[in-house]
């Protein structure tokens, strides 16, 4: 891959590089994609033994900028990535992968164009990651996973939240959820392995009619080759990760998995290999405790057919 750098001067022979300093607005919020690029830039520097100031001097920019780049507290440009890749003598395939990731990070995703309050900031970050993921492992205790919800079900949950929100905001949240679901059945669908408890199926969210249609939606989605649904029935007893709903996102581009534990208005991200391994092990245990996909769908269908308006 040959990159054209229009906003920098690079001389690999003299090891003198220059890209412009930028003024960062107070409202700047780095995307998850840029934060991952920033982490990569730090990982490139550490093995070299160079301090941030030494790298900055060689790159032709300030130590402050070097720090901002490695912490994603200012926008990172493809030129910045190329400058540092040449400085650290990064192999071309690795360099080009991060270069392309930086280009992609400059594109606006649909989540940046919706009503600001439709998604909390932590959820925005999760949605951004989810948009790039190739697979999600999801464990829910008392509700259906967002990728599998009907619009009615989503709206009922939004209306029950405290403090109460306007009907307009409820609809914005529904629209955001439906846009997320485009990944389920598009040309390059996300793989979904979802485990939920029977309790999530028996809570009549939005009333019997809404819940019956929601359960019907699960039955329909279960026929897709990229969807694996399993239910932990109420008679199963104790099970792994009891009381802790979580998700694990995996990526086709060999990026590290990311875990997410959702709370009322924010979430905790898991990126350490040890944490990911523990939750992946627990998810495998949940699938073992749960009914088979076939038996799970039979249970979902039975519960759905028992609901009457």
């Amino acid at each position: 891959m040959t990159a054209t750098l229009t906003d920098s001067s690079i001389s690999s022979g003299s090891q003198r590089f220059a890209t412009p300093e930028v003024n960062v607005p107070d409202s700047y919020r780095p995307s998850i994609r840029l934060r991952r690029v920033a982490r990569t830039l730090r990982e490139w520097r550490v093995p070299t033994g160079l301090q941030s100031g030494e790298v900055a001097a060689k790159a032709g920019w300030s130590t402050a900028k070097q720090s901002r780049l490695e912490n994603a507290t200012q926008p990172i440009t493809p030129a910045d990535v190329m400058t540092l890749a040449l400085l650290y003598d990064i192999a071309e395939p690795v360099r080009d992968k991060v270069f392309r990731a930086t280009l992609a990070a400059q594109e606006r995703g649909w989540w940046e164009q919706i009503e600001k309050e439709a998604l909390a900031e932590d959820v925005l970050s999760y949605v951004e990651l989810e948009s790039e993921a190739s697979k999600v492992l999801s464990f829910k205790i008392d509700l259906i996973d967002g990728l599998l919800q009907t619009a009615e079900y989503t709206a009922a949950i939004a209306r029950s939240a405290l403090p109460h929100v306007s009907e307009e905001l409820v609809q914005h949240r529904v629209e955001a959820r439906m846009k997320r679901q485009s990944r389920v059945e598009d040309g390059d669908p996300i793989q979904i392995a979802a485990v939920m408890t029977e309790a999530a199926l028996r809570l009549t969210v939005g009333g019997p009619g809404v819940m019956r249609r929601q359960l019907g939606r699960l039955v329909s989605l279960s026929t897709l080759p990229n969807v694996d649904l399993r239910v932990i029935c109420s008679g199963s007893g104790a099970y792994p990760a009891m009381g802790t709903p979580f998700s694990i996102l995996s990526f086709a581009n060999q990026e590290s998995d990311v875990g997410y534990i959702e709370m009322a208005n924010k979430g905790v991200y898991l990126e350490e290999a040890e944490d990911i391994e523990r939750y992946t092990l627990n998810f495998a245990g949940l699938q073992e405790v749960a009914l088979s996909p076939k038996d799970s769908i039979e249970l979902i269908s039975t519960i759905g057919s028992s609901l009457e308006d």
Side-chain angles (χ1 to χ4, degrees), residues 40-298:
T40 298
L41 297 183
R42 290 198 303 274
E43 291 171 352
W44 283 356
R45 177 177 59 80
V46 171
T48 70
L50 294 170
Q51 298 300 311
S52 294
E54 296 174 291
V55 172
K58 290 177 178 290
W61 56 54
S62 69
T63 302
K65 174 176 175 175
Q66 180 65 26
S67 176
R68 291 194 298 267
L69 291 176
E70 292 189 1
N71 290 283
T73 52
Q74 78 163 56
I76 303 171
T77 69
D80 296 328
V81 169
M82 189 62 69
T83 297
L84 292 172
L86 292 173
L87 240 171
Y88 301 138
D89 196 24
I90 300 299
E92 185 173 343
V94 177
R95 179 196 73 193
D96 290 350
K97 174 183 170 183
V98 180
F99 183 90
R100 288 192 295 270
T102 311
L103 282 174
Q106 295 180 325
E107 299 175 0
R108 295 187 70 198
W110 63 261
W111 51 88
E112 297 178 280
Q113 302 170 41
I114 63 172
E115 178 70 24
K116 182 178 180 181
E117 294 182 338
L119 294 172
E121 185 169 327
D122 275 335
V123 179
L124 274 171
S125 296
Y126 178 82
V127 168
E128 184 181 348
L129 279 172
E130 185 184 80
S131 73
E132 297 182 346
S134 59
K135 183 176 183 179
V136 59
L137 309 181
S138 167
F139 170 52
K140 299 294 185 185
I141 296 173
D142 58 357
L143 80 165
I144 309 301
D145 186 272
L147 288 174
L148 311 174
Q149 294 177 8
T150 64
E152 293 175 302
Y153 183 95
T154 298
I157 292 175
R159 293 188 184 106
S160 69
L162 294 175
H164 292 304
V165 299
S166 68
E167 187 60 25
E168 181 181 14
L169 187 51
V170 167
Q171 294 309 313
H172 284 310
R173 291 180 177 177
V174 171
E175 290 167 10
R177 185 64 50 85
M178 296 303 104
K179 286 182 179 179
R180 280 179 61 192
Q181 293 183 9
S182 65
R183 290 292 321 278
V184 180
E185 299 182 75
D186 67 11
D188 183 23
I190 187 171
Q191 298 290 318
I192 302 171
V195 176
M196 65 198 77
T197 70
E198 185 176 342
L201 306 176
R202 293 195 179 276
L203 283 171
T204 52
V205 175
V210 170
M211 197 63 198
R212 186 179 64 252
R213 288 185 287 275
Q214 172 62 74
L215 297 181
R217 172 69 172 161
L218 292 182
V219 173
S220 175
L221 289 173
S222 71
T223 63
L224 298 176
N226 57 306
V227 177
D228 181 314
L229 302 182
R230 306 190 194 197
V231 178
I232 296 177
C233 63
S234 57
S236 296
Y239 51 82
M242 198 166 185
T244 309
F246 64 90
S247 301
I248 299 174
L249 296 169
S250 300
F251 305 86
N253 58 5
Q254 299 182 326
E255 288 279 1
S256 301
D257 290 356
V258 176
Y260 182 70
I261 302 173
E262 187 173 357
M263 293 180 281
N265 64 340
K266 60 182 178 180
V268 175
Y269 287 91
L270 308 171
E271 298 188 74
E272 296 297 328
E274 182 179 347
D275 291 329
I276 297 298
E277 182 179 1
R278 180 179 294 112
Y279 277 87
T280 301
L281 178 65
N282 274 270
F283 190 83
L286 287 165
Q287 287 188 312
E288 289 180 7
V289 172
L291 298 172
S292 68
K294 180 177 180 295
D295 290 342
S296 295
I297 295 308
E298 288 182 1

